[in-house]
Amino acid sequence: MFSDSRGDVAPGSTGGLVHEDTRFVSRWELRLDGEPLSLLKSGPVDYDSAAFFLTNPDTSRLRAHSVAVRRLRHVGSGALEQITVFNTSSEPVTCELRLLCGADFADLFEIKSGVRDRSGSIVAAARGRQSLRFRYQVPGFLAETTIRIERSEIVEGATEEVVAAAPPRVDGTDAVWELELPPRCLFVALVKVGVRVNNVTFEPVVEGFGSRQQLVEGPLSDWLERIPRVEATSTLLTDVVRQSVVDLAALRITGDLLGERYVLPAAGLPWFMTLFGRDTLITSLQTLWIGPGLARGALHLLGALQGMQVDDFRDEEPGKILHEVRSGELTRLGEMPHSPYYGTADATPLWLILLSEYWRFTGQDAFVLERWDKIDAALDWIDRYGDRDGDGYVEYQTRSQAGLGNQCWKDSWDGVQFADGTIPHLPIATAEIQGYVYDAKLRVAELARRLRSDADLAGRLEREAEDLSGRFNDDFWSDDRGGYYVVGLDGDKRRIDSMTSNIRHLLWSGIVPQERAGLVARQLMSDAMFSGWGVRTLSTEDRGYNPIGYHTGTIWPHDNSIVALGLARAGFRDEANRIALAQLEAASFTGHRLPEAFAGFERWVSRFPVPYPTACSPQAWATAAPFVFVQAILGLEARDGELRLDPRVPEELGRIVVRRLHAFGTEWDVEAAGAEGIVCQSGPALS
């Protein structure tokens, strides 16, 4: 649920209660004597709840600040809202409390761009004095919102005696209470919102909500109990990691498929609370040492939904890993291709990379072997469908009228451009995707040799990776600007010569030869790329640079986490630490939460990071970025059944301790300060 700071959702705004990509509440405004309330303070209570503290302005019957209002909201299987009105004065108070409700059943794709008028198909009706129902139905799709007043009570201030209050009346689509409150008394109402999609109904649990001693939700407490605990001399690092843990909990989605229960990270709130390919895979890679369960769920579900056929409308091809799944009206009725949509060129090699890294951390041979047919299909997609013209590079070009033009991680319309700002024409082969393919083939070669004793396949993949590396380092390298990798090749095989953050992914994948790694590191840390808060997506020297352009100059925490890991693995530990420290400090200005992206202004221009206007927060791969910064600082990796540690802990962070780290079915403790560290087994094998 997305609202303003008072808890209100105004009609025509982007706010509301959204489930399965459908907005079930589009208006939710609280009024006292017809006036909006004034904000005192509001904020999240937990990942699934928020509190809003308000007071009244001058009204026809009340002086300002005669009453205080608290709205306590919980979202899950619908929504619950407890509205409490405190008479803070020594005089009786008479006033009207009104909750204005509405439901437009907009598809998520419409909310930001323009909502079609469904009013002629929406039926709104009172169901007695305590309930409202909004219903929308077209052939093939039914959505319903039920708003019910569960209770209305008055609590005596001195005795705390609870007495029933007069029930509300339904006025059109509003719930209205006529309040008469004695001095120091309070009124409490509990409102429940249930939703229905076709034949599936969701109702929130009312029992215990709003009580003074509310228990922590079981799944969250279980999650917090299982994951590793990070302690550090630096309270900044501790606070950032703690916030990331809670936000990651908020982004989990669960289900059952093909006999296996899965838990995996959705992409981000409020717009991307769904399964993605690239975002989910990278987040799973970032969080492997926190717990391999998210990676297992992502591998299982994305593998199960691997492309099976050629479908131009959905950009689907055999062996391809999907880009995005949606379930709103436009998708269900076939107007949008997201059922699922496969328009991404990087998710397939990333799925292979995650599968390899999951195996390295867990040693679960059987999980990998059970999916070997999917490995074969993914490799075949890379060579057959990914390489559209047979030049040995993976290119992308949409075939869907509703598809994405850019299908790399910078998938906005101008995310890939020449240094002079012109837009290249399709198909495009971007640099980082070739790095992913190189890494994926080497990793699958290791799996083939170790798990299947298939020396022929392993040898072939290693030769293909070596050949790719040689050609790539000829075709994508430019001697201009002191030497750098261009962002890609266009449909005419022209070098797309802008300098972008994509080159950092190349260090991570290992396709950069050692003699060039230093040049790449210097470019990344140059004034044109590094703002002081992080590395920009596009160099300030390129014509298209815009510090608040989505992929043309902003700073993305997930992107910076990959560059930190790449720099660390290439031996540039001080540079990696500089980026990690800058990002951690940036998080201190945003409640210890890194947003999806923030502006690329130089640090001297702004003494705090300027947020990108419509950034998701929390957003999965930004939420998970601090885990990678810790991993890069510790030099932590899993290889050959052992945890390896090569720490370079900056003085600013002091000592870092990780308790109950999960690897190889066992729990481990890790401790490091400066360049010294220890790893020891701390727990039994995990079930």
Side-chain angles (χ1 to χ4, degrees):
M1 188 166 186
F2 187 34
S3 70
D4 66 19
S5 58
R6 295 175 302 188
D8 284 342
V9 176
S13 71
T14 56
L17 177 67
V18 176
H19 174 70
E20 291 199 4
D21 304 318
T22 301
R23 181 161 62 184
F24 285 85
V25 172
S26 57
R27 187 177 196 184
W28 193 255
E29 297 179 291
L30 196 62
R31 297 288 183 264
L32 199 76
D33 283 342
E35 299 293 333
L37 292 153
S38 301
L39 177 67
L40 296 173
K41 179 71 174 177
S42 65
V45 175
D46 212 332
Y47 78 93
D48 56 1
S49 57
F52 309 84
F53 293 90
L54 315 160
T55 187
N56 68 292
D58 283 319
T59 73
S60 58
R61 290 189 283 186
L62 295 177
R63 293 192 304 272
H65 315 311
S66 296
V67 300
V69 177
R70 184 190 72 172
R71 307 172 73 173
L72 183 60
R73 179 177 299 157
H74 172 88
V75 178
S77 294
L80 288 171
E81 183 156 325
Q82 184 192 68
I83 303 170
T84 305
V85 181
F86 303 83
N87 180 0
T88 59
S89 70
S90 58
E91 302 294 331
V93 164
T94 300
C95 59
E96 178 195 85
L97 183 70
R98 181 179 290 261
L99 181 63
L100 296 83
C101 308
D104 63 1
F105 301 104
D107 191 285
L108 191 71
F109 285 110
E110 302 174 305
I111 293 175
K112 290 197 294 183
S113 60
V115 178
R116 69 174 69 178
D117 182 10
R118 293 174 172 82
S119 57
S121 302
I122 297 174
V123 177
R127 305 178 70 188
R129 294 176 59 87
Q130 303 272 88
S131 184
L132 269 167
R133 186 177 74 180
F134 299 85
R135 182 183 177 92
Y136 171 69
Q137 186 170 14
V138 293
F141 185 74
L142 167 67
E144 191 172 274
T145 305
T146 302
I147 300 168
R148 179 175 177 80
I149 313 303
E150 288 294 316
R151 56 178 177 264
S152 301
E153 301 168 337
I154 293 178
V155 181
E156 298 287 348
T159 64
E160 294 195 358
E161 180 183 357
V162 179
V163 297
R169 60 183 171 88
V170 175
D171 180 13
T173 58
D174 302 343
V176 184
W177 294 266
E178 300 293 345
L179 303 183
E180 295 182 2
L181 285 179
R184 315 301 183 195
C185 289
L186 57 94
F187 164 81
V188 182
L190 182 60
V191 185
K192 181 176 78 171
V193 182
V195 302
R196 176 184 174 188
V197 183
N198 289 338
N199 295 320
V200 181
T201 300
F202 297 88
E203 294 281 348
V205 177
V206 174
E207 184 178 356
F209 175 70
S211 63
R212 293 185 179 183
Q213 299 295 328
Q214 190 174 358
L215 296 176
V216 177
E217 183 202 12
L220 176 60
S221 59
D222 292 345
W223 163 264
L224 296 177
E225 179 62 29
R226 288 196 308 270
I227 65 171
R229 186 171 71 251
V230 178
E231 304 165 357
T233 307
S234 165
T235 56
L236 172 60
L237 177 60
T238 303
D239 289 342
V240 171
V241 170
R242 183 182 298 116
Q243 184 62 52
S244 288
V245 166
V246 174
D247 287 342
L248 195 60
L251 293 167
R252 293 171 302 155
I253 54 178
T254 63
D256 294 278
L257 185 70
L258 300 178
E260 179 162 334
R261 181 75 173 170
Y262 64 82
V263 180
L264 50 81
L269 288 166
W271 309 116
F272 304 113
M273 199 62 187
T274 187
L275 173 67
F276 271 70
R278 174 191 312 118
D279 301 53
T280 298
L281 289 163
I282 289 179
T283 304
S284 298
L285 279 163
Q286 292 170 312
T287 58
L288 256 173
W289 68 267
I290 290 294
L294 295 178
R296 182 185 180 98
L299 290 165
H300 174 65
L301 187 55
L302 290 169
L305 297 173
Q306 190 176 34
M308 299 293 291
Q309 61 187 347
V310 174
D311 182 342
D312 289 353
F313 178 61
R314 299 191 300 159
D315 279 336
E316 179 184 4
E317 291 155 343
K320 195 176 188 182
I321 299 298
L322 64 83
H323 171 61
E324 180 180 0
V325 178
R326 293 292 182 179
S327 54
E329 177 190 3
L330 299 184
T331 299
R332 289 172 183 260
L333 300 185
E335 296 183 36
M336 296 296 288
H338 296 73
S339 58
Y341 176 59
Y342 289 82
T344 174
D346 52 9
T348 305
L350 284 171
W351 186 86
L352 293 170
I353 291 168
L354 177 62
L355 184 65
S356 160
E357 197 68 6
Y358 175 80
W359 171 75
R360 289 177 178 179
F361 262 92
T362 65
Q364 293 183 8
D365 298 359
F367 183 85
V368 176
L369 291 171
E370 289 166 359
R371 288 159 177 79
W372 203 267
D373 61 329
K374 300 185 181 303
I375 294 174
D376 285 337
L379 290 171
D380 186 63
W381 179 85
I382 288 171
D383 293 336
R384 181 179 178 187
Y385 295 99
D387 183 4
R388 303 173 61 88
D389 56 9
D391 67 346
Y393 298 128
V394 171
E395 300 97 357
Y396 58 76
Q397 181 173 19
T398 184
R399 304 184 310 279
S400 173
Q401 291 184 347
L404 289 170
N406 279 319
Q407 296 184 359
C408 58
W409 88 260
K410 294 175 179 174
D411 57 5
S412 56
W413 70 273
D414 60 348
V416 178
Q417 56 181 258
F418 286 95
D420 63 5
T422 58
I423 304 299
H425 62 81
L426 301 172
I428 292 173
T430 60
E432 82 285 356
I433 295 177
Q434 317 316 314
Y436 299 160
V437 171
Y438 170 82
D439 191 19
K441 289 195 172 185
L442 289 179
R443 287 171 176 268
V444 176
E446 179 188 24
L447 294 173
R449 186 171 278 113
R450 294 281 294 274
L451 302 187
R452 291 167 58 95
S453 300
D454 192 338
D456 291 341
L457 175 60
R460 176 173 67 81
L461 291 172
E462 288 164 348
R463 290 190 297 274
E464 290 173 358
E466 183 180 1
D467 175 68
L468 172 60
S469 176
R471 288 184 292 102
F472 174 83
N473 278 284
D474 288 339
D475 295 343
F476 282 75
W477 180 257
S478 171
D479 290 322
D480 295 340
R481 309 196 207 191
Y484 73 107
Y485 289 97
V486 299
V487 69
L489 305 178
D490 76 353
D492 292 328
K493 306 304 175 186
R494 294 182 302 164
R495 292 176 174 177
I496 308 171
D497 57 348
S498 54
M499 183 184 293
T500 72
S501 63
N502 298 49
I503 61 177
R504 74 189 72 185
H505 298 242
L506 302 176
L507 288 176
W508 174 58
S509 67
I511 200 171
V512 178
Q514 189 59 41
E515 63 270 18
R516 285 179 177 171
L519 291 173
V520 173
R522 284 197 291 273
Q523 294 286 14
L524 288 168
M525 304 308 297
S526 68
D527 290 342
M529 293 297 292
F530 184 70
S531 77
W533 295 114
V535 179
R536 302 178 178 94
T537 45
L538 184 66
S539 168
T540 59
E541 297 174 351
D542 287 306
R543 184 173 183 179
Y545 168 72
N546 179 349
I548 54 174
Y550 194 54
H551 292 127
T552 56
T554 48
I555 295 165
W556 289 61
H558 95 276
D559 201 23
N560 277 264
S561 75
I562 293 174
V563 71
L565 202 59
L567 285 167
R569 289 181 175 175
F572 300 96
R573 304 301 296 277
D574 291 340
E575 291 83 351
N577 285 352
R578 187 181 174 194
I579 290 171
L581 290 172
Q583 290 278 289
L584 292 172
E585 189 175 349
S588 71
F589 291 91
T590 52
H592 299 108
R593 171 191 291 163
L594 285 169
E596 176 185 15
F598 47 89
F601 294 116
E602 292 85 352
R603 192 156 178 161
W604 63 265
V605 172
S606 172
R607 297 299 180 184
F608 53 87
V610 177
Y612 179 75
T614 59
C616 285
S617 183
Q619 198 251 16
W621 57 14
T623 288
F627 304 133
V628 178
F629 296 136
V630 173
Q631 183 179 0
I633 289 167
L634 293 176
L636 178 69
E637 63 178 4
R639 290 293 182 274
D640 301 323
E642 64 179 18
L643 281 180
R644 300 179 183 178
L645 198 66
D646 181 20
R648 296 291 189 278
V649 182
E651 290 183 8
E652 295 91 330
L653 301 183
R655 183 175 299 274
I656 299 175
V657 180
V658 181
R659 307 285 187 195
R660 305 196 318 268
L661 187 151
H662 307 311
F664 323 122
T666 303
E667 291 183 346
W668 304 79
D669 288 347
V670 174
E671 185 172 353
E676 302 294 327
I678 58 171
V679 178
C680 61
Q681 187 171 338
S682 61
L686 301 172
S687 59

